[in-house]
Amino acid sequence: TESASRPVIRRPATSPEATDIDLVTRAQGGDERAFESLAEAHHPRLFRVAYGILRDRHLAEDATQQALLDIWRHIPRLRDAAKFEAWSYRLLVNACYDEARRRPTWIPTEDLSPGDLPISGDVTGPVIARDQLGRALNRLSLEHRAVLVLRYLMDLSPEQVAEALDVPRKTVYSRLGRAMDALRAALEAESRTPNPMPVRPEAAR
């Protein structure tokens, strides 16, 4: 049926005391109202991650909506309700990769602000022009942006990032190292190139 494949996001229909675990458990049993409350509560964080990875609000919203649909369809398979957050990140990152593949033409970032950037202060050193930093991030692969977003924007531990990406912890450390190196190189390239055209990101590996 339509309701089984396309949840409708409305205002939360459950009590404020309901926990994520309660809602997940009920959603796994087919409770649409419980899932609507989950979707309402988690949409902001999912969108924030999607925007950090895709660097475009329209693409990020499409990826977020697709991730919510995937969560609804597959939530009965989630074995541990306590792992819902990491599991939802995993589906979201995959949705971002799929969205990028469907939209081969790169769209420049919009409404970029320093607080949105998935990096720590030690990466940039002195204050860097906002557009320069945005273009540098655009040069990174989706894979590199995903690990930076989860680690620095969402402040997840390497262990949590590993769980969200479904990779070993050592892989997270190596990706972070490569992503930092790539970002520094991109910043150096941007500093030598005045007003460059937006760069299409590499396809996620």
Side-chain angles (χ1 to χ4, degrees):
T1 65
E2 178 68 11
S3 62
S5 62
R6 193 177 188 83
V8 178
I9 302 173
R10 296 191 292 262
R11 301 301 300 174
T14 57
S15 66
E17 292 77 17
T19 65
D20 274 3
I21 292 179
D22 294 333
L23 293 173
V24 170
T25 301
R26 288 162 54 188
Q28 288 179 310
D31 188 331
E32 294 181 25
R33 297 180 72 187
F35 180 78
E36 289 164 12
S37 293
L38 270 178
E40 180 80 17
H42 290 274
H43 181 280
R45 73 169 174 86
L46 293 174
F47 176 80
R48 192 179 185 201
V49 171
Y51 181 55
I53 295 173
L54 293 170
R55 316 297 300 141
D56 176 82
R57 293 187 182 278
H58 297 295
L59 299 184
E61 184 58 42
D62 287 347
T64 301
Q65 290 300 320
Q66 183 58 53
L68 288 171
L69 288 174
D70 291 341
I71 290 170
W72 171 243
R73 290 166 181 160
H74 300 300
I75 199 168
R77 303 178 188 176
L78 179 62
R79 295 182 179 180
D80 186 351
K83 295 184 179 296
F84 173 77
E85 184 172 330
W87 177 74
S88 66
Y89 281 137
R90 194 177 308 163
L91 294 181
L92 177 69
V93 170
N94 288 336
C96 288
Y97 289 169
D98 290 341
E99 191 65 32
R101 293 187 188 103
R102 283 194 295 269
R103 306 290 181 91
T105 302
W106 183 241
I107 301 175
T109 61
E110 55 186 48
D111 299 332
L112 186 65
S113 65
D116 291 331
L117 300 176
I119 57 175
S120 60
D122 62 334
V123 175
T124 59
V127 175
I128 295 174
R130 185 175 62 178
D131 58 344
Q132 180 181 335
L133 187 50
R135 290 194 301 268
L137 284 167
N138 287 353
R139 290 176 178 266
L140 302 187
S141 69
L142 295 176
E143 181 184 77
H144 286 165
R145 260 184 264 143
V147 74
L148 288 174
V149 165
L150 294 173
R151 179 68 181 96
Y152 294 112
L153 181 64
M154 305 309 294
D155 199 28
L156 300 185
S157 69
E159 291 77 14
Q160 291 171 317
V161 175
E163 186 174 4
L165 296 178
D166 195 24
V167 297
R169 185 176 61 176
K170 289 183 179 179
T171 300
V172 171
Y173 285 118
S174 64
R175 285 187 187 178
L176 279 172
R178 292 196 300 270
M180 292 294 194
D181 290 342
L183 182 55
R184 293 188 183 98
L187 285 169
E188 291 177 3
E190 288 297 329
S191 67
R192 296 192 299 267
T193 307
N195 300 320
M197 295 295 292
V199 178
R200 174 183 169 184
E202 304 169 12
R205 294 190 291 275

